[in-house]
Amino acid sequence: MAIITWKSCYETGNATFDAEHRALVNALNDLHVAMREKRGDEVLLPLLTTLNTYIRKHFQHEEETMLKYHYPDLEAHIKAHGSFKNTVKDFQEQVLTGYSGLSPELYKYLRDWLLNHIVKTDSQFGNFLREKNIYTCGPPVL
Ligand SMILES: [Fe+2]
């Protein structure tokens, strides 16, 4: 599995969300590098702790914006965020109690979920904002 290269087509058009998504991808890449260098178990707990704090803050930003603009898929989106938050928290607890370490399955799960969510689900919200002419970086120049 290779390092994730950020592409402009992953962007939602919302500067805050895009910066936060990039930070999440960077965190995944850090984990990947650590795993490749066999330092995975050493960085797993701090990384899961950072990820846990970070996704909570990021998901809250998205959900607040969805609520503000009456996004029709808000409920489903909150549910998806909630189940991922619970899974990350469970992993974190398993690592804390020594029950689990870093496995390729764990890394693959985090990577697949986050990329799929950013590229598919969040980009739909980005399209919704564009259709409503809501830009955080200023309107497009025509
Ligand atoms: Fe999201």
Side-chain angles (χ1 to χ4, degrees), residues 10 36 103 119:
Y10 300 160
R36 213 170 46 192
S103 63
V119 173

Side-chain angles (χ1 to χ4, degrees), residues 67-116:
L67 191 65
K68 182 175 172 189
Y69 295 111
H70 310 289
Y71 185 52
D73 283 338
L74 171 67
E75 209 176 303
H77 211 111
I78 288 176
K79 261 192 199 161
H81 284 169
S83 86
F84 186 67
K85 279 191 287 195
N86 288 338
T87 308
V88 171
K89 196 164 169 278
D90 287 348
F91 280 143
Q92 196 185 8
E93 274 162 18
Q94 286 174 17
V95 173
L96 264 172
T97 55
Y99 180 75
S100 175
L102 179 60
S103 63
E105 290 75 27
L106 168 60
Y107 172 72
K108 193 176 176 322
Y109 171 80
L110 294 173
R111 177 190 163 112
D112 288 354
W113 195 95
L114 279 168
L115 284 182
N116 190 55

Side-chain angles (χ1 to χ4, degrees), residues 15-62:
T16 304
F17 303 156
D18 291 333
E20 291 171 350
H21 286 161
R22 276 172 184 258
L24 287 170
V25 165
N26 287 340
L28 283 174
N29 281 337
D30 288 347
L31 185 59
H32 180 78
V33 169
M35 203 166 62
R36 213 170 46 192
E37 293 172 355
K38 312 258 183 263
R39 294 183 292 112
D41 286 338
E42 185 186 305
V43 299
L44 182 59
L45 192 56
L47 189 111
L48 280 178
T49 306
T50 306
L51 199 64
N52 194 12
T53 310
Y54 205 75
I55 59 172
R56 278 161 202 277
K57 196 177 89 180
H58 168 61
F59 288 170
Q60 193 186 341
H61 287 159
E62 283 188 357

